[in-house]
Amino acid sequence: MSSPAPTVLPPGSPLKGRVVLLTGAGRGLGLLTAQTLLDQGAAVVANHRSPSDGLDRLVDKHKDRLRLVPGDVATDETAALLAAEARRFGRLDVLIHNAAITRDQPLVRMSIEDWDEVQRVNLRGAFLTTKYAVKTMMRARYGRIIYISSITALTGNAGQAAYSSSKAGLHGLAMTVSQEYASYNIRTTTVAPGILDTGLGAAVAGPQRRRMTDRSLLGIGEAGQTAETIAFLASPAADYINATVIRTDGGMRY
C-alpha cells in the first residue's frame, strides 16, 4: 500500500512549520485544539490517556503531521517520551498542557486520594511536561508554553477545591517558568476558559452549571473559539505575549 500524500496547506497557514506538543488531546477542548492546530499547518504530538476515535480520525487525515502518544502525562516516562517524539519532527516550538481531571466534592467530603489524584494529573503533569519541553527549547533558544487553566482558578467554585487549586497552581508555575527562562526566549501564557459547551465544562452537574452560566455575561462559551485562541497564542503573531493570563470566559458578573 502506498503512503498517503502529505496534506496540502493553504497559503499563509499561520502555524506552518511549527511543532506543537499537546496533552489531553483525546476529547473536548483538547481534541478541538488538535484539529485547529493541524488545520493551521502545525505538526502535532498529541497525548491522550484513553482511546479516542476523534484522534484516530485526525490521524487518518494528517498522517504526515500528527503523532499520537498514549500514556499518563503525570509519569516521568510519558513526559520524556512526548518530548522525544516532538524531536523526531526536528524541533519543539510549543507545549500546550491541557490534560486535566476533576473529582468534585465539597471539601469536607473529599478524600485524600481524590485530592492527590487531581493535583497529580493537573499540576504534576504540567511540571513534568514543562521540564522536558524546556530542555529541548533551551537548545533552540525559543519556545512557547501554554497552560490551560480555568476561570475557577481566579474565582473559586463551590465543590471544586481540588480542581480550582490545581489550576491556580498553573498560574504560579507559568509566571516562574517565564522568569527563569526568558533569557532563552521561552514565553508562557495561561488560558483561563469559563464554562464551555464541551469537555469538563459540559460534565458539570446541572444546578452548578446553571449558576456558572448565569455568572457569565455571554453565557456558555464555544470551545472551538477557545481552541482558536490557543492556536493564535501558539503562532509567531503572539511572540510578544508573555507571563500573563488570557481569560476566555465571556466576562463575569460579580
Side-chain angles (χ1 to χ4, degrees), residues 2-10 16 38 41-43 58-66 89:
S2 60
S3 299
T7 307
V8 178
L9 297 172
K16 184 177 181 179
L38 290 162
L58 286 179
V59 167
D60 290 340
K61 183 179 179 181
H62 302 282
K63 288 183 184 294
D64 57 320
R65 290 187 292 114
L66 176 59
F89 278 116

Side-chain angles (χ1 to χ4, degrees), residues 29-242:
L29 177 60
L31 182 60
L32 287 171
T33 299
Q35 180 175 336
T36 303
L37 295 169
L38 290 162
D39 288 346
Q40 296 189 17
V44 179
V45 175
N47 162 256
H48 59 105
R49 190 170 181 177
S50 303
S52 170
D53 292 340
L55 281 178
D56 290 340
R57 287 191 292 271
L58 286 179
V59 167
D60 290 340
K61 183 179 179 181
H62 302 282
K63 288 183 184 294
D64 57 320
R65 290 187 292 114
L66 176 59
R67 293 175 182 164
L68 305 186
V69 180
D72 182 352
V73 75
T75 65
D76 192 71
E77 294 78 10
T78 298
L81 181 60
L82 285 167
E85 192 66 26
R87 289 194 296 272
R88 290 184 59 199
F89 278 116
R91 57 195 292 170
L92 174 57
D93 301 290
V94 184
L95 163 65
I96 302 171
H97 178 73
N98 175 67
I101 62 170
T102 61
R103 295 287 189 272
D104 295 347
Q105 283 282 353
L107 188 143
V108 296
R109 295 210 303 265
M110 185 175 296
S111 69
I112 294 172
E113 291 77 16
D114 281 350
W115 172 275
D116 286 348
E117 183 64 5
V118 171
Q119 309 307 319
R120 190 187 74 86
V121 175
N122 299 6
L123 197 50
R124 174 186 162 112
F127 156 68
L128 287 172
T129 52
T130 299
K131 178 179 178 179
Y132 284 101
V134 163
K135 288 180 179 179
T136 299
M137 292 171 175
M138 288 173 69
R139 288 193 287 271
R141 302 193 72 82
Y142 180 87
R144 295 199 61 82
I145 303 175
I146 303 167
Y147 299 101
I148 310 306
S149 176
S150 166
I151 193 60
T152 65
L154 302 169
T155 65
N157 195 36
Q160 291 194 308
Y163 180 76
S164 299
S165 298
S166 70
K167 292 298 190 178
L170 294 178
H171 297 208
L173 176 62
M175 294 298 288
T176 299
V177 170
S178 66
Q179 293 176 54
E180 287 185 359
Y181 301 102
S183 63
Y184 290 92
N185 207 19
I186 296 172
R187 308 154 173 85
T188 68
T189 314
T190 305
V191 178
I195 187 76
L196 299 179
D197 58 3
T198 190
L200 295 180
V204 173
Q208 185 178 6
R209 182 178 172 83
R210 284 192 293 274
R211 287 196 300 272
M212 295 175 69
T213 303
D214 288 344
R215 291 184 63 190
S216 174
L217 296 176
L218 300 182
I220 295 174
E222 296 180 15
Q225 293 179 341
T226 294
E228 293 280 353
T229 300
I230 295 167
F232 166 74
L233 293 171
S235 75
D239 270 353
Y240 200 58
I241 298 176
N242 188 30

